[in-house]
Amino acid sequence: MQYYLKKCRFQELGSVGADGVPHRGRYLFTPMDERILSFFPPLSVAQINDSALLPIVLLSTGKKVYCTFVYHNDKFHNSAAAHPRNEYRIYLNRSLEGNGLLFEVNDIVIMRKEEMISEDEDVQTVYLMDIIKNHESEEYIRLNEIIDRYPIRGGYGILEGVIDEFEKRASKLSGISTAPAIIDETVMNCVIANPEESLAKLFNSSAFRDFVLAGYGYKCAVTGKDISYGNYTNVEAAHIKPKSHGGLNLPNNGLALGRDLHWAFDKGFFTLNDEYKVVVHPEITSEYLRSFDGVRIRLPENQFFVPTLDNIHYHNENVYGLFLRTGRL
């Protein structure tokens, strides 16, 4: 196993003053070291301030919280800034820290990648994270020695092997792949700031699911309801323009639908009109489905998640009534 170690620094954590208030944003630096950079998603120097979504699971809470990994590279883009940057940062956010200041100076952060497989067999890489806050513990002292020996200064380290204490804590986690994701406002601001042509690369299938379901509050857009227990729910993220037709994993190409309605939507039993109202195909006699004919779906409050009419028109023309054209379900 491979672990990334980071010792928290004063400036990174926002230079918290005597009043207990950070005077700038909180983040963790990532150095220009190939071993460490390979631990994270690759970012491009060609795109200014390229970024990636990091789904982080804190072992202490078991919650999956999205953060952003950003390459500040305006040094290579004719920046007029007095001190153009060439640096990588993982931005912390209020949700990750439980709306407090969880990370403190000289705490050691441990991260390990893990592949999670969802019910639909989609694979997502999540970053398990733990924080060692007891600076007198044997675990802290041992990890601090590894950091001190690492050739890159600044409180970094890579450990190849097994951290038994970390793995014991990780073994207690369950249901991460189906857990509701927490998407902080700061993450949304970073996502929306991306150029439109590069936005799609932020979203794989798992991020698409997490963002779509969060955008609709984990409720079906048609019924406004869900069947859930713990981390399990019958609400799914449906593509409006199917992936098999070249549809993107962008949230505005998604709907949160109950499992039965997702199936019916994919088969073309119903579609949406320009007013976001359900249009049930005239050949469908299901009383249950026909009860939603003409009902306006619940739309997300954030415009970023609202389905585009282009995607809806594609569904109207290429998916609606598909069950008649294929002759099978």
Side-chain angles (χ1 to χ4, degrees):
M1 294 183 180
Q2 185 183 69
Y3 303 85
Y4 171 52
L5 308 177
K6 179 70 182 81
K7 191 172 183 179
C8 300
R9 300 295 188 180
F10 177 73
Q11 180 179 341
E12 293 173 295
L13 298 185
S15 303
V16 179
D19 55 2
V21 177
H23 294 270
R24 56 176 66 87
R26 290 164 68 81
Y27 56 88
L28 297 176
F29 270 128
T30 303
M32 298 295 210
D33 176 75
E34 287 303 320
R35 289 186 70 194
I36 292 176
L37 288 181
S38 67
F39 189 82
F40 297 101
L43 298 179
S44 171
V45 69
Q47 180 181 320
I48 188 168
N49 296 332
D50 197 13
S51 61
L53 296 169
L54 288 188
I56 293 177
V57 177
L58 272 178
L59 299 192
S60 58
T61 65
K63 295 179 179 178
K64 180 165 64 173
V65 181
Y66 274 87
C67 294
T68 50
F69 178 51
V70 181
Y71 178 24
H72 291 289
N73 55 18
D74 53 345
K75 177 179 179 180
F76 305 104
H77 292 270
N78 300 317
S79 173
H83 302 286
R85 294 183 291 180
N86 178 29
E87 62 189 30
Y88 292 81
R89 295 182 179 186
I90 301 169
Y91 281 93
L92 309 176
N93 57 46
R94 289 186 296 275
S95 295
L96 185 67
E97 296 199 81
N99 291 312
L101 300 179
L102 177 62
F103 299 83
E104 297 181 298
V105 175
N106 291 329
D107 286 353
I108 292 179
V109 174
I110 311 172
M111 298 180 72
R112 175 171 69 75
K113 291 189 290 187
E114 180 151 323
E115 288 189 343
M116 299 289 178
I117 303 176
S118 65
E119 289 182 328
D120 58 2
E121 299 187 351
D122 182 38
V123 179
Q124 180 183 37
T125 299
V126 299
Y127 290 79
L128 303 182
M129 176 185 282
D130 204 9
I131 309 170
I132 311 303
K133 302 185 72 63
N134 181 357
H135 300 181
E136 306 298 323
S137 68
E138 291 183 7
E139 183 179 13
Y140 182 93
I141 293 171
R142 184 173 73 256
L143 297 178
N144 193 45
E145 289 175 352
I146 294 171
I147 290 171
D148 285 344
R149 291 196 302 267
Y150 199 73
I152 304 296
R153 299 180 60 186
Y156 311 105
I158 288 286
L159 186 151
E160 303 281 355
V162 178
I163 302 177
D164 292 331
E165 300 92 335
F166 181 98
E167 297 306 326
K168 288 178 183 177
R169 293 187 286 267
S171 68
K172 297 177 182 179
L173 298 177
S174 63
I176 296 173
S177 62
T178 55
I182 300 173
I183 300 170
D184 192 275
E185 181 182 349
T186 55
V187 174
M188 283 302 307
N189 291 339
C190 180
V191 168
I192 295 171
N194 270 264
E196 185 175 349
E197 65 272 12
S198 65
L199 195 58
K201 78 176 183 61
L202 290 178
F203 293 93
N204 56 22
S205 296
S206 294
F208 171 80
R209 173 190 179 275
D210 288 339
F211 272 69
V212 169
L213 295 190
Y216 285 85
Y218 294 89
K219 304 288 184 182
C220 175
V222 175
T223 67
K225 299 177 182 179
D226 70 298
I227 301 174
S228 300
Y229 178 81
N231 289 337
Y232 298 97
T233 180
N234 73 319
V235 182
E236 300 176 340
H239 286 84
I240 301 171
K241 181 178 181 180
K243 284 182 65 179
S244 58
H245 294 207
L248 300 177
N249 280 327
L250 288 175
N252 62 15
N253 186 37
L255 285 175
L257 295 173
R259 184 165 295 183
D260 53 351
L261 291 178
H262 183 181
W263 176 86
F265 187 70
D266 284 352
K267 298 302 181 185
F269 280 31
F270 73 96
T271 191
L272 302 176
N273 64 19
D274 286 11
E275 296 176 341
Y276 298 100
K277 291 182 179 180
V278 173
V279 179
V280 179
H281 197 280
E283 293 288 329
I284 298 300
T285 59
S286 164
E287 292 184 9
Y288 173 71
L289 197 55
R290 297 216 68 83
S291 69
F292 300 115
D293 195 38
V295 172
R296 191 172 191 268
I297 66 169
R298 298 165 57 254
L299 292 174
E301 294 181 4
N302 191 317
Q303 187 65 32
F304 180 74
F305 296 93
V306 174
T308 66
L309 291 181
D310 283 347
N311 287 324
I312 289 175
H313 292 163
Y314 187 91
H315 190 274
N316 296 167
E317 297 166 9
N318 298 280
V319 182
Y320 182 55
L322 184 63
F323 64 96
L324 292 176
R325 298 196 290 275
T326 59
R328 63 182 185 275
L329 298 182

